[in-house]
Amino acid sequence: MKINLKIAVISTLLSLTIVACSSSNQNNNTPEMLPTPTPPPPKQFVTPTTDDVRGVSSAALIKYKAWESGSFDDFYNDLHPDSQTAISKDDFVKYWTEKRKSMAAKNPELRDIKFIQSEKLAGFDKTYTNIAEVIVTFKYEIGGKEVTTQDGINYLVKDNSGKWLFLWKK
């Protein structure tokens, strides 16, 4: 009798569990579909003019010359207005002065420049046109030994006057 009672109790509990599980599943019997990610559109590269190549080359090196010398006023002045709105000149100079203490850049060289028709850049809430992606290599010392490294991608945007300005976010 005790065994039949145990079987009856276990059977009842099992039945209740099955009913509970199946009734909660009836409320949502279709699996939830995850949204399909949309890949970003491919970049539309453009062929630059000779003046654009010169302008970007000159503007890009301003950052590294400032990094080399420790004088960041010219670099700040050549920031795009969107970047200047995001950080004050004092905070910008403070940031780069601290960065320079840990890694002073020397001998910057342009490695690659690509010109893009338009793109929405990460960290900025709008699409920019006339963009240049610039990669620069430079040297710095670590443990008394000179090392060559590559900086991340620098973005410059051509303004209405034809000047190339940095888009920069901390």
Side-chain angles (χ1 to χ4, degrees):
M1 202 55 139
K2 284 186 178 184
I3 294 176
N4 285 342
L5 183 60
K6 285 182 183 179
I7 292 174
V9 169
I10 292 172
S11 227
T12 303
L13 290 175
L14 187 58
S15 295
L16 289 173
T17 304
I18 291 171
V19 168
C21 289
S22 66
S23 67
S24 68
N25 196 21
Q26 287 176 357
N27 294 336
N28 189 6
N29 58 3
T30 49
E32 185 177 332
M33 299 299 291
L34 296 175
T36 304
T38 305
K43 293 180 182 184
Q44 298 294 317
F45 295 104
V46 294
T47 303
T49 66
T50 303
D51 287 342
D52 284 338
V53 173
R54 284 188 192 127
V56 167
S57 299
S58 176
L61 290 177
I62 287 172
K63 171 185 174 180
Y64 298 91
K65 295 296 182 183
W67 200 349
E68 238 179 341
S69 70
S71 175
F72 298 106
D73 289 340
D74 287 342
F75 182 19
Y76 187 83
N77 294 337
D78 282 342
L79 289 181
H80 189 278
D82 292 347
S83 296
Q84 288 182 348
T85 300
I87 189 167
S88 71
K89 190 172 195 174
D90 289 343
D91 288 343
F92 182 81
V93 169
K94 184 186 289 184
Y95 171 85
W96 280 100
T97 300
E98 287 301 312
K99 185 166 183 159
R100 185 172 184 268
K101 286 178 187 175
S102 64
M103 182 191 295
K106 297 186 287 185
N107 303 319
E109 293 180 18
L110 294 173
R111 196 190 118 223
D112 191 24
I113 302 173
K114 293 178 182 166
F115 290 84
I116 303 166
Q117 185 174 4
S118 67
E119 184 175 359
K120 184 172 183 176
L121 300 173
F124 294 91
D125 292 330
K126 71 183 205 183
T127 299
Y128 293 91
T129 57
N130 296 316
I131 303 168
E133 281 184 353
V134 181
I135 296 176
V136 176
T137 59
F138 61 89
K139 298 177 189 299
Y140 70 100
E141 283 190 30
I142 186 164
K145 185 177 180 180
E146 192 170 78
V147 176
T148 300
T149 190
Q150 171 181 303
D151 199 8
I153 296 175
N154 296 281
Y155 291 100
L156 290 94
V157 176
K158 189 175 183 179
D159 72 2
N160 292 335
S161 72
K163 185 174 182 178
W164 289 91
L165 301 171
F166 270 94
L167 275 172
W168 181 84
K169 278 222 172 185
K170 186 162 93 170

